[in-house]
Amino acid sequence: MTPGRMMHFPLTLTHLLERARTYFPRGEIVSREPGGALHRETWKDVYERAGKLAHALERLGVKPGDRVATLAWNHHRHLEAYFAVPMMGAVVHTLNLRLHPKELAYIARHAEDSVVLVDRSLLPLLDQFVSDVPSIRHVVVIPDDGPTPQGKLDYEQLIAPERPDYAWPTLDEHSAATICYTSGTTGNPKGVVYSHRSSVLHALTACMVDSMGASEHDVLMPVVPMFHANAWGWPHTAACVGAKLVFPGPKLDPESLLDLMAREKVTSTAGVPTIWLGILAMLDANPKKWDLSRLRQMVVGGSAAPPSMMEGFQKRHGITVTHAWGMTETNPLGTIARVKRELETGTEEERMAVRASQGYAVPFVETRHTSDDGKILPWDAETMGELEVRGPWVASSYLGEEGKDRWTKDGWFKTGDVVTIDAHGYVRICDRSKDVIKSGGEWISSVALENALMSHPAVLEAAVFAGRHAKWDERPIAAIVLKKGMTVTEADLTKHLEGKFAKFWMPDAYVLTEQIPRTSTGKFLKTKLRELYGEMLIKPAKPEK
Ligand code: ADP
């Protein structure tokens, strides 16, 4: 090998924040506080306050490699920790505030967190598990909704006496920067450890025009929580280009989000479909109330974006939804649904079908799908198999070496998603393997049925899940939430589906409900639906708790 003669320059988060401070010192970070007030600071402030925080954490005994947990909403102080902790060589561990205290205790113990930065508004949650985590030496309270209680360490008081200039160490780009746990819908949650290098490469890719296309001219609002796969890397991406960042804090209802988007002239925002379904309903009811003319895209991922929702935003409100796929294990960006030039000449319907797919892989992520016996399947748009991915920001193992069966012998990560891939490389998710409905040995895609049901004008949300069946093992049941003031009959829904699917795909039953249970990351919780209604085709449903 003839060696190249380029510098060894480590890819670390330190460079991203230093760049934001140097070139975009006045770039704004806007955070909505629990009371509704807006807090403003700049990239220069973030850099300086990160320096103060690093000094303060050092004073508390935090050493390189130590885990500093956060239990916090999306806001500026969380952003400061996002950079300060990894830049000083420690590891920031984002705890999911929607989990049960028992799960949080397990996760914090497993990660061996030594310090927790917690929003004052979330102290009651922390109090329920902190004593079960012996590794926690200090609790620092972020005074988000009022003064820190007597006797507790206060974030602002802690950093106030410190100097803003910290001698950030030169780090190995492969060193750990962040830890985030998977939601653990099957088995215990697993720790995914991102490196500086993986987060930097992910941020750079997110800036590409055919990816998220983030630029300094953008106003980025990650609605996706900072505890969900690094808020999809948006804080890192924003620092990379010096974009303005807007954080919604705990106010995630459609009206508050729309107010913030209009007021701060948000250009690009990201979250799971359940958030945008609520926003679409609010916009439909009040089409003229908010000026969203600056909004260039809503990135939707985490679960399938219903095409009817994408169309609704586009046709009724002129808002473009960009559909992307990813996982905690992939930092998360894996694929994004951009329409390739060769497909642009198609009809509007054909283009929408492409945009509603999960898209094709971004640079450095590779995709393939395989059969149960590990055979690599053809990209023919029909053959279903498990999606496997690899790339520099795809996990190579979990913390503690758990879940080794998620990697193939030749080094690919098994996603657990059942997909088809077409000749152009577009991936289409039919289901998560644990949600697939197997009727008489045939697979039925719950995602396809949900998308079709959500295109019915009376339906706000639909989740299709497997009900146990005496003859066919499993049959589809659809849980439906109606739009306000709407009614519908089972016959209407069946008629709406007829002709779109084979007869045996038709749901055997419909359950009208007020709200579909959600996971801790805002997705439909099908295990709960199965628990509540999964036996109804055999015996009557249990009453809803
Ligand atoms: P959780 O386990 O909390 O759902 P993740 O965010 O890591 O945590 O979930 C990743 C999974 O979410 C993927 O494996 C896939 O099943 C689903 N997912 C993500 N994006 C999409 C998408 N655009 N369409 C359909 N499913 C998606």
Side-chain angles (χ1 to χ4, degrees), residues 67 69-70 93-113 129 132-133 135-136 179-184 187-192 227 399 402 520:
R67 262 74 76 197
T70 58
H93 170 205
T94 52
L95 289 165
N96 180 341
L97 56 86
R98 296 222 168 80
L99 294 179
H100 190 276
K102 271 203 184 116
E103 285 174 293
L104 284 165
Y106 169 83
I107 290 172
R109 264 201 315 268
H110 192 269
E112 297 176 51
D113 295 333
F129 69 90
D132 295 332
V133 190
S135 57
I136 295 179
I179 300 178
C180 182
Y181 277 69
T182 62
S183 67
N188 279 329
K190 312 260 188 322
V192 177
F227 55 76
L399 192 60
E402 290 160 10
S520 62

Side-chain angles (χ1 to χ4, degrees), residues 280 308-321 348 352 355:
L280 180 59
S308 55
M309 179 188 87
M310 296 176 70
E311 245 163 17
F313 273 118
Q314 194 77 60
K315 288 198 175 141
R316 301 199 289 278
H317 307 286
I319 296 172
T320 300
V321 170
E348 205 181 320
M352 180 49 85
R355 290 186 39 221

Side-chain angles (χ1 to χ4, degrees), residues 183 228 302-304 323-328 358 417 429 432 521 523:
S183 67
H228 187 195
S303 45
H323 194 197
W325 169 90
M327 309 181 71
T328 305
Q358 277 67 22
D417 286 335
I429 295 199
R432 292 184 101 158
T521 48
K523 308 178 188 188

Side-chain angles (χ1 to χ4, degrees), residues 107-374:
I107 290 172
R109 264 201 315 268
H110 192 269
E112 297 176 51
D113 295 333
S114 62
V115 175
V116 187
L117 309 178
V118 55
D119 281 357
R120 193 192 99 123
S121 55
L122 297 168
L123 258 181
L125 175 60
L126 182 77
D127 286 343
Q128 291 178 62
F129 69 90
V130 68
S131 58
D132 295 332
V133 190
S135 57
I136 295 179
R137 296 194 308 266
H138 299 286
V139 172
V140 179
V141 180
I142 295 172
D144 64 332
D145 70 340
T148 294
Q150 285 273 318
K152 302 242 185 224
L153 278 176
D154 173 79
Y155 183 97
E156 290 301 332
Q157 284 172 15
L158 189 73
I159 69 169
E162 300 296 347
R163 293 163 54 91
D165 50 342
Y166 186 91
W168 302 110
T170 303
L171 299 169
D172 183 330
E173 64 180 21
H174 292 288
S175 58
T178 322
I179 300 178
C180 182
Y181 277 69
T182 62
S183 67
T185 28
T186 50
N188 279 329
K190 312 260 188 322
V192 177
V193 186
Y194 309 98
S195 64
H196 280 262
R197 175 188 155 86
S198 70
S199 297
V200 167
L201 290 173
H202 182 269
L204 279 172
T205 308
C207 300
M208 292 174 56
V209 176
D210 287 338
S211 170
M212 306 277 184
S215 110
E216 193 254 334
H217 297 260
D218 267 317
V219 180
L220 303 177
M221 184 172 89
V223 178
V224 50
M226 291 169 87
F227 55 76
H228 187 195
N230 293 333
W232 300 355
W234 280 35
H236 302 144
T237 303
C240 184
V241 295
K244 171 173 165 178
L245 261 176
V246 178
F247 289 124
K251 285 195 171 300
L252 300 177
D253 61 287
E255 200 161 5
S256 301
L257 289 175
L258 283 161
D259 279 346
L260 197 56
M261 278 194 248
R263 192 201 291 225
E264 295 303 321
K265 303 186 171 47
V266 167
T267 61
S268 191
T269 172
V272 292
T274 43
I275 293 271
W276 306 125
L277 283 167
I279 295 232
L280 180 59
M282 182 61 75
L283 279 179
D284 283 346
N286 308 275
K288 297 252 170 332
K289 189 164 170 192
W290 293 279
D291 174 6
L292 300 177
S293 52
R294 300 293 187 95
L295 193 61
R296 132 181 113 67
Q297 68 175 353
M298 282 176 161
V299 179
V300 179
S303 45
S308 55
M309 179 188 87
M310 296 176 70
E311 245 163 17
F313 273 118
Q314 194 77 60
K315 288 198 175 141
R316 301 199 289 278
H317 307 286
I319 296 172
T320 300
V321 170
T322 304
H323 194 197
W325 169 90
M327 309 181 71
T328 305
E329 290 89 336
T330 67
N331 202 5
L333 185 57
T335 64
I336 190 158
R338 296 288 178 200
V339 182
K340 289 188 195 175
R341 186 160 33 165
E342 62 189 3
L343 298 173
E344 248 176 0
T345 49
T347 62
E348 205 181 320
E349 225 176 26
E350 284 164 347
R351 284 199 308 272
M352 180 49 85
V354 173
R355 290 186 39 221
S357 78
Q358 277 67 22
Y360 59 95
V362 295
F364 281 105
V365 172
E366 294 181 355
T367 56
R368 71 181 189 189
H369 65 322
T370 58
S371 61
D372 281 349
D373 54 3

